[in-house]
Amino acid sequence: MDIRLSCCCLLAASLASSLAYASEFEGSSVGIWNKPIVVKLQIENGKITDIQTTQSETPAIGGTAINKLSQEIIKAQSLNVDNVSGATISSKAFKQAVAQAAEKADFVSKSIDKKKPVLYTDTQTDVVVVGGGPGGMMAAIELSDGGKKVILLEQLGVLGGDGPFISTAYQAAGSKIQKKAGNTATQEDFANFLSTDKGTSKEMAQIVAKESSRVINFLVDHGAEISKTTNKFWHLPKNGSSPGEAVTPIFIKEVLARPIDVRLNNQAEDLIVENGRVVGVKVKPANGNPYIIRAKDVILATGGFAASKELIKKYAPDLASLGTTNSHGSSGSGHIMAAKAGASLTDMTKVVINPTTYNTGASHVSFTPLRYKAIIVSKEGVRIAKSNERDKNKLMEVMMQSSGGSGQAFLILDQKSVDDLKIIKEYVEKGFVIQSPTLEGLAKKLGINANNLAETVKLYQHNAKEGKDPQFGQTAFGTYLDHPPFYGCAVVPAVHATKGGISINKNGEVLNRKGAVIPGLFAVGQTANTGLGSGNIGAHAASSMALRAADYILGRVE
């Protein structure tokens, strides 16, 4: 099935003969976070003169693309402009919103290629994959390449899941990139690293470590630029942009290049169970009537439940007031379906916090990459913790205490920090990060104590250059804060991920409350409790376990 959206072509020749007065028209579409992109199109004497947009797209990806496309559409007086590479989803959604606004002006309706929505009916296939994030897409690709007929269901209108929001790194050992760089880290090293959390399953750690290099090699072979290796296992883009921006478009491209039946805006609502075996799913599409898909196997790859206020309130009530960095699709739908089918849910109270996120007003953006290039201070202008603190809950507690309960703190950076990471430059351009030539000016803009900040930075500079930190014990310093101008931003904690989930065995098969396999049902990524503790939420875990589950279905592993 071809789901490549045909987003209206030309504003066409009718532009010249259309309305000979100035007027404003509004259009909207749904962006990558399932949040609205609202466009106000200014038309004067038959020409588009301005495009104003309200949106919540990922700043480094969709936001930048929308700004660029606005300029190009005005210049060309046409929607026939290329999507921005790496931001195809946001590009198409934005152009759809512009097309809707233009159609209201009554001069583009004839040039719009309108398609009736596809109406689905009951069907059958080999495997149904529920969820279009990195895990679901990796499973669908592997199964399709292995000769299976695959239907990929995604409840949102776009593929990607939480993939675009990965801001740190993809981890692996033994990849082509690492070997080329002389990195001698082995899969056993990675397994040992994943096993550092108390209670980690060493068997699962070994499986994920083994499959992780396959995932990285697949991505690189198909065009992902993640050639920078650091921290022994990390894979990053060389230009300092987010790994999600580099990797997610590759997954999407490869799914669309295969005979995978991708069904967007199709919500899997229930599993079909017969004689103890899962034999399909019940689906509710955005258009048309509910239908069923019968399948030999079903893989749940619906993500965690970080975006579900109801489930967070149930399992982690103390965090219910926080926002989340996750996609709107991380609603716990897979957990709910599996539990109704008798699956065991474990460690559901274990929720991961991202202590340093930026609240855009509509969503939370992870500022973890900035934290490692900054110092973190309170409104009083004093450091409150080491910026590379690994214990996220500890850092959140400090932020809560130092802010009187709001959790707000501030990251302070210099020009060198901004130059080192492309993603920070994009946040500056977006206005999320504020600039000033002096620390005093920056403090004034951020509303923090200027005198204290100056003293704090002076002491930090001295200690960092000597490689010591008597106050907090920091030993690695991402910045010396000695290259003005200076930059800063307010950050707050948000729910980042959920560790617990559906109980599975080493092949991703779902287990019931007695520990027995539920035939025909698999779970991967944050939908499952992979038994890796903090390692369960890493970008590598979902796609690695997806490969394992797919290979088991294909009969390649026992």
Side-chain angles (χ1 to χ4, degrees):
M1 173 185 173
D2 188 357
I3 66 159
R4 296 162 181 80
L5 303 175
S6 60
C7 178
C8 311
C9 299
L10 303 171
L11 289 181
S14 52
L15 277 170
S17 60
S18 42
L19 308 179
Y21 54 86
S23 191
E24 187 178 87
F25 301 89
E26 184 171 298
S28 65
S29 183
V30 178
I32 196 166
W33 287 46
N34 207 33
K35 300 285 186 178
I37 295 177
V38 179
V39 164
K40 290 184 178 180
L41 194 68
Q42 187 76 28
I43 297 175
E44 186 173 351
N45 296 323
K47 291 186 177 181
I48 297 177
T49 58
D50 192 30
I51 303 174
Q52 296 294 323
T53 308
T54 303
Q55 48 85 17
S56 307
E57 299 301 274
T58 308
I61 310 172
T64 301
I66 287 171
N67 292 336
K68 181 180 180 182
L69 288 171
S70 294
Q71 297 171 13
E72 292 180 354
I73 288 171
I74 293 172
K75 181 179 179 180
Q77 291 295 299
S78 170
L79 290 187
N80 191 26
V81 295
D82 292 334
N83 295 323
V84 177
S85 178
T88 305
I89 295 168
S90 296
S91 298
K92 289 180 177 179
F94 170 69
K95 286 161 66 177
Q96 286 175 334
V98 174
Q100 185 185 96
E103 185 175 13
K104 289 179 180 179
D106 198 35
F107 58 72
V108 286
S109 58
K110 292 182 180 179
S111 64
I112 293 179
D113 178 17
K114 295 182 178 179
K115 289 188 176 181
K116 294 181 179 179
V118 176
L119 300 180
Y120 296 105
T121 57
D122 294 354
T123 189
Q124 61 183 22
T125 190
D126 292 330
V127 185
V128 174
V129 178
V130 184
M137 289 191 287
M138 187 76 261
I141 289 168
E142 183 76 356
L143 289 164
S144 179
D145 288 352
K148 295 291 185 180
K149 290 175 58 180
V150 181
I151 294 178
L152 176 59
L153 298 175
E154 169 53 52
Q155 64 175 322
L156 303 183
V158 294
L159 291 174
D162 282 331
F165 315 125
I166 298 167
S167 61
T168 49
Y170 263 76
Q171 296 188 74
S175 71
K176 295 177 180 179
I177 295 291
Q178 288 168 309
K179 290 177 180 177
K180 185 176 180 180
N183 185 327
T184 59
T186 65
Q187 292 175 1
E188 190 65 28
D189 293 333
F190 191 27
N192 290 336
F193 170 76
L194 293 173
S195 300
T196 54
D197 268 13
K198 185 178 180 181
T200 297
S201 165
K202 291 186 177 181
E203 181 180 47
M204 297 299 268
Q206 289 171 349
I207 290 171
V208 169
K210 177 184 177 183
E211 303 295 352
S212 64
S213 61
R214 287 181 61 199
V215 174
I216 293 295
N217 290 342
F218 169 84
L219 291 168
V220 171
D221 287 346
H222 291 87
E225 201 300 287
I226 45 174
S227 58
K228 179 181 178 181
T229 60
T230 184
N231 286 16
K232 201 171 185 178
F233 307 116
W234 285 22
H235 294 69
L236 305 159
K238 271 188 177 180
N239 65 2
S241 60
S242 73
E245 181 180 351
V247 165
T248 307
I250 303 302
F251 275 127
I252 295 173
K253 173 174 70 74
E254 293 306 313
V255 165
L256 299 181
R258 289 163 170 78
I260 298 169
D261 185 350
V262 181
R263 302 187 177 189
L264 301 180
N265 295 310
N266 276 252
Q267 168 81 54
E269 288 200 314
D270 278 304
L271 296 169
I272 302 171
V273 183
E274 295 178 356
N275 299 319
R277 180 183 181 89
V278 171
V279 295
V281 294
K282 297 178 181 178
V283 187
K284 182 180 180 181
N287 297 292
N289 297 319
Y291 64 96
I292 65 172
I293 305 173
R294 299 187 71 85
K296 299 173 184 175
D297 296 291
V298 175
I299 298 179
L300 298 177
T302 53
F305 57 91
S308 170
K309 286 292 185 182
E310 182 180 350
L311 292 180
I312 290 295
K313 187 175 181 179
K314 178 179 180 179
Y315 292 109
D318 292 345
L319 306 177
S321 63
L322 300 183
T324 180
T325 58
N326 281 206
S327 159
H328 178 68
S330 297
S331 59
S333 59
H335 301 71
I336 295 169
M337 283 190 290
K340 287 171 65 176
S344 170
L345 303 182
T346 53
D347 292 337
M348 293 288 282
T349 60
K350 296 182 178 180
V351 176
V352 178
I353 295 301
N354 185 327
T356 50
T357 75
Y358 181 82
N359 185 358
T360 69
S363 58
H364 285 255
V365 180
S366 172
F367 269 22
T368 299
L370 282 71
R371 177 159 69 91
Y372 286 91
K373 293 286 184 179
I375 61 171
I376 183 167
V377 303
S378 68
K379 193 175 181 65
E380 295 303 314
V382 297
R383 286 178 71 212
I384 58 175
K386 56 185 179 182
S387 58
N388 59 358
E389 175 62 63
R390 290 190 63 185
D391 189 332
K392 296 177 181 179
N393 288 323
K394 178 181 178 181
L395 181 54
M396 183 186 73
E397 289 173 7
V398 171
M399 291 170 67
M400 288 292 186
Q401 293 168 4
S402 65
S403 64
S406 71
Q408 186 183 65
F410 301 86
L411 298 180
I412 308 299
L413 311 91
D414 67 0
Q415 186 62 51
K416 188 174 186 306
S417 298
V418 174
D419 291 341
D420 284 346
L421 286 177
K422 179 184 177 184
I423 194 171
I424 303 180
K425 296 177 186 176
E426 293 170 344
Y427 291 153
V428 173
E429 293 171 359
K430 191 70 174 176
F432 296 168
V433 178
I434 297 170
Q435 180 204 53
S436 177
T438 66
L439 285 170
E440 181 181 7
L442 181 65
K444 185 176 181 179
K445 288 182 177 181
L446 293 173
I448 63 181
N449 188 301
N451 291 332
N452 287 348
L453 181 62
E455 289 299 317
T456 294
V457 171
K458 182 178 179 181
L459 178 61
Y460 171 84
Q461 288 172 336
H462 173 75
N463 289 336
K465 289 177 180 178
E466 292 193 359
K468 62 182 183 181
D469 180 17
Q471 190 175 9
F472 297 109
Q474 189 165 331
T475 56
F477 302 88
T479 179
Y480 292 136
L481 289 178
D482 57 358
H483 285 73
F486 298 97
Y487 298 80
C489 55
V491 290
V492 292
V495 177
H496 184 57
T498 49
K499 290 184 183 181
I502 303 167
S503 296
I504 60 171
N505 64 15
K506 66 179 182 179
N507 296 316
E509 293 179 288
V510 171
L511 305 179
N512 65 21
R513 297 179 184 93
K514 294 182 179 180
V517 167
I518 298 178
L521 185 61
F522 297 77
V524 300
Q526 285 187 47
T527 314
N529 181 0
T530 312
L532 295 180
S534 296
N536 192 47
I537 69 169
H540 53 276
S543 43
S544 295
M545 281 307 299
L547 276 180
R548 177 72 177 200
D551 283 347
Y552 182 76
I553 291 172
L554 292 169
R556 295 171 178 170
V557 294
E558 295 181 357

